[in-house]
Amino acid sequence: MTAPFLNALISALFYAAESCLALKLTSNHSDGLQQIHLESIGWVPVLCDQQTNSGGWTVLQRRTRPFTRVNFDRNWTDYEAGFGNIQGGNFWLGNKMIHMLMKTPRFLRIELRTDRNENGFAEYSNVKVNGVANKYRLQMASPNGYRGSIGDCGGSSSWQYFTTKDSDNDKQSNINCAMKDGAGWWYKNCGCGNLNKKEGPKWNSWTSPGNFEFSEMKIR
């Protein structure tokens, strides 16, 4: 049994459920809005996917057209707290909560769909997000454990700090990538992938001929 499943099982058996995976292990197989309990935060609502690839996924981000109905061109404080409508199709759960959910290594899954009804995914193993003192740095194991059908754009974000338009922590010396893309993300440079991009998700390693109409980022 892998560490995320073992940790969730312990949580489910002895404490309040701290993730959608822990809920699933207590026989709560319900999709959609659920309540979990996070240390130092308390009870919080999250979106659960209990169907995809055996379920147990806690959704961190989701976007659907029209992408501009929720503004992702936000500052550090907004990205830390989270924004959007968790039930309305466009939201960011918040870096503080994402860190609490990913203090220990998790599986990360990214899903994309185009207007031609093409579906693709990327999964990564052993992914962590550090706390605010480390600027919510994203850590992936080396190698990053990628598998999927849309290419490894996520690998370029490994070991990168979170950048917003008012907190430039990327590796691009002459520009703030969050200002260029109109969105916060774990940028190394302004290139391969950013699910939060203002005009819609960017994932250049997938050479699909369609236009993106849906993105989702989730962990278990």
Side-chain angles (χ1 to χ4, degrees), residues 168 170-177 190:
D168 186 359
D170 59 48
K171 296 290 182 66
Q172 194 79 22
S173 60
N174 61 341
I175 193 171
N176 180 331
C177 294
C190 304

Side-chain angles (χ1 to χ4, degrees), residues 182-200:
W185 194 251
W186 295 276
Y187 296 98
K188 180 178 181 181
N189 49 44
C190 304
C192 194
N194 175 9
L195 299 182
N196 293 336
K197 187 177 180 182
K198 185 176 182 179
E199 297 83 5

Side-chain angles (χ1 to χ4, degrees), residues 40-77:
S40 80
I41 295 180
W43 290 99
V44 293
V46 294
L47 202 61
C48 293
D49 173 2
Q50 305 291 24
Q51 307 302 319
T52 302
N53 192 19
S54 300
W57 300 99
T58 305
V59 181
L60 310 180
Q61 183 258 26
R62 178 182 281 178
R63 297 182 78 190
T64 59
R65 286 188 180 276
F67 298 124
T68 54
R69 63 181 164 180
V70 171
N71 179 23
F72 275 68
D73 188 8
R74 305 249 184 166
N75 62 23
W76 180 270
T77 301

Side-chain angles (χ1 to χ4, degrees), residues 2-195:
T2 59
F5 284 86
L6 182 58
N7 292 338
L9 179 60
I10 293 171
S11 171
L13 291 175
F14 299 104
Y15 309 100
E18 62 178 8
S19 68
C20 294
L21 178 58
L23 287 174
K24 186 176 179 67
L25 292 172
T26 61
S27 298
N28 183 343
H29 295 192
S30 298
D31 282 327
L33 197 64
Q34 302 291 328
Q35 293 284 330
I36 63 171
H37 192 274
L38 296 178
E39 179 186 355
S40 80
I41 295 180
W43 290 99
V44 293
V46 294
L47 202 61
C48 293
D49 173 2
Q50 305 291 24
Q51 307 302 319
T52 302
N53 192 19
S54 300
W57 300 99
T58 305
V59 181
L60 310 180
Q61 183 258 26
R62 178 182 281 178
R63 297 182 78 190
T64 59
R65 286 188 180 276
F67 298 124
T68 54
R69 63 181 164 180
V70 171
N71 179 23
F72 275 68
D73 188 8
R74 305 249 184 166
N75 62 23
W76 180 270
T77 301
D78 286 347
Y79 269 96
E80 185 171 53
F83 55 84
N85 185 345
I86 198 171
Q87 292 182 287
N90 286 270
F91 73 92
W92 179 257
L93 191 60
N95 290 341
K96 183 178 180 181
M97 280 187 60
I98 290 172
H99 162 63
M100 293 298 295
L101 289 165
M102 300 181 70
K103 289 191 297 184
T104 56
R106 303 292 179 185
F107 291 100
L108 169 66
R109 182 179 174 96
I110 289 165
E111 295 182 356
L112 292 169
R113 185 173 67 244
T114 74
D115 55 4
R116 299 189 179 194
N117 205 31
E118 301 163 304
N119 294 280
F121 76 97
E123 279 190 8
Y124 299 89
S125 58
N126 297 310
V127 184
K128 293 174 58 177
V129 171
N130 289 278
V132 63
N134 286 302
K135 302 174 184 176
Y136 297 110
R137 191 182 198 183
L138 179 72
Q139 290 181 219
M140 293 183 179
S142 182
N144 61 32
Y146 164 80
R147 75 178 192 92
S149 59
I150 60 176
D152 185 17
C153 262
S156 65
S157 291
S158 181
W159 294 96
Q160 303 309 308
Y161 301 107
F162 202 84
T163 286
T164 58
K165 61 185 180 182
D166 61 337
S167 184
D168 186 359
N169 304 307
D170 59 48
K171 296 290 182 66
Q172 194 79 22
S173 60
N174 61 341
I175 193 171
N176 180 331
C177 294
M179 293 186 70
K180 181 177 183 292
D181 275 1
W185 194 251
W186 295 276
Y187 296 98
K188 180 178 181 181
N189 49 44
C190 304
C192 194
N194 175 9
L195 299 182

